[in-house]
Amino acid sequence: MGKPLIYEILEKPATSCIIGICSAIWFYIQKKNIGYQHVGLSYETAVEGHHWRIITSAFSHISVIHLVFNMSALWSLGVVEQLGHLGLGVAYYLQYTLVLVVLSGLLVLGMYHFLIQRFKIEYFRRVTAVGYSCVVFGWMTILSVKQPSSKLDLFGFVSLPISFAPFESLIFTSIIVPQASFLGHLSGIIVGYAIAWGLIHGMTNYWAVSMLGWIALVFIFSLKQSGAYDFNFLEIESVTDPSLPSVRFIGNGRTLQSTVPLGGIELV
């Protein structure tokens, strides 16, 4: 007989919070009837300065099936929080979740750029990615290196050996779900291996908080500059060197409607 759910939640506090956040965002998106094109990440919108979409795309899901699949896998991967004796644990989980969200988003944009510029595949200019799978695949990969004897449980009845799960899941989702983002999932696997093999290391609470602060600043200023949200209390004026901003506070903000060209969608 398994543990009561409340005990499992207490053993996976960070995972539980992330699942709660993603679920709340999905509910808000459904309630407000927000389209994926308003929150998803595409090469075209990134070039236009919508850098905030790296964050919003990761935590947004367009359907309940998409949400349940990602959160079910994430719940199983929450075992990372209980492996403090292997150098993992809650702090490690939070620190490198931040790294996975940002770097996997940047990497997939880099892949789009390469395919567009080198091979002239214009499809990748407008295709829009949404979902938490980049991070899910990243943790799947890290766990496959750090704890290869673990199992990945999906929906409570499908169990995969974690050592093969990243590539099994990559192939499975690409075949079963035509809209699944192969490049998005692959970027999560690449960043996951970079973390697991120590190529990306040295994260501490200090660096995580510093990184979070910079992400918040970029998020706010890209929202302002892209016109997605008009922070009227924050005005940027040119100074002697036009490349440097000057900031002053002048009033309250108001929301604007974001318009984004329609294109394809990929689930991550």
Side-chain angles (χ1 to χ4, degrees):
M1 185 175 179
K3 296 179 182 178
L5 179 60
I6 186 63
Y7 289 110
E8 293 200 42
I9 290 174
L10 293 174
E11 289 177 348
K12 304 176 182 178
T15 302
S16 300
C17 286
I18 292 171
I19 291 174
I21 290 169
C22 288
S23 299
I25 290 173
W26 174 82
F27 181 79
Y28 180 82
I29 286 173
Q30 298 302 311
K31 185 176 179 60
K32 296 295 184 180
N33 198 29
I34 298 173
Y36 70 87
Q37 69 273 17
H38 294 112
V39 294
L41 178 66
S42 70
Y43 180 82
E44 190 168 67
T45 54
V47 169
E48 292 172 354
H50 294 233
H51 305 128
W52 51 271
R53 291 173 178 267
I54 291 176
I55 305 301
T56 60
S57 64
F59 292 92
S60 301
H61 296 81
I62 64 167
S63 71
V64 67
I65 296 298
H66 186 203
L67 175 70
V68 169
F69 185 85
N70 279 352
M71 295 304 102
S72 174
L74 184 64
W75 178 255
S76 181
L77 293 166
V79 69
V80 171
E81 297 186 62
Q82 303 167 18
L83 298 176
H85 60 285
L86 294 179
L88 304 180
V90 178
Y92 182 96
Y93 182 84
L94 289 172
Q95 293 161 5
Y96 285 98
T97 288
L98 195 61
V99 172
L100 281 165
V101 169
V102 175
L103 290 191
S104 60
L106 293 175
L107 181 57
V108 78
L109 287 175
M111 291 178 178
Y112 287 166
H113 177 79
F114 178 77
L115 291 169
I116 292 168
Q117 300 300 323
R118 181 67 177 83
F119 297 103
K120 310 301 179 185
I121 306 177
E122 292 298 311
Y123 165 79
F124 290 107
R125 187 176 296 277
R126 289 187 173 85
V127 66
T128 303
V130 290
Y132 202 70
S133 293
C134 286
V135 182
V136 169
F137 272 77
W139 279 119
M140 203 184 296
T141 304
I142 293 169
L143 199 57
S144 72
V145 174
K146 300 286 189 179
Q147 187 78 349
S149 61
S150 297
K151 297 282 187 180
L152 176 67
D153 295 317
L154 297 177
F155 307 112
F157 59 87
V158 178
S159 183
L160 299 174
I162 196 66
S163 55
F164 302 108
F167 293 102
E168 285 178 345
S169 299
L170 180 65
I171 296 170
F172 176 78
T173 53
S174 298
I175 294 173
I176 301 300
V177 185
Q179 288 181 308
S181 174
F182 181 87
L183 293 181
H185 296 166
L186 182 61
S187 70
I189 291 174
I190 292 172
V191 177
Y193 275 123
I195 293 171
W197 290 341
L199 302 178
I200 299 173
H201 64 281
M203 281 294 289
T204 63
N205 289 337
Y206 170 80
W207 288 114
V209 171
S210 299
M211 185 178 178
L212 187 61
W214 282 108
I215 290 171
L217 284 175
V218 172
F219 187 88
I220 292 171
F221 278 104
S222 64
L223 275 173
K224 167 75 174 177
Q225 292 178 335
S226 65
Y229 193 92
D230 187 6
F231 293 93
N232 278 341
F233 65 89
L234 192 64
E235 183 175 295
I236 302 177
E237 297 177 339
S238 61
V239 291
T240 304
D241 183 350
S243 66
L244 298 175
S246 167
V247 180
R248 66 188 180 92
F249 297 89
I250 61 176
N252 295 320
R254 60 189 178 86
T255 303
L256 296 180
Q257 178 65 43
S258 169
T259 57
V260 181
L262 295 177
I265 179 173
E266 290 189 336
L267 306 183
V268 297

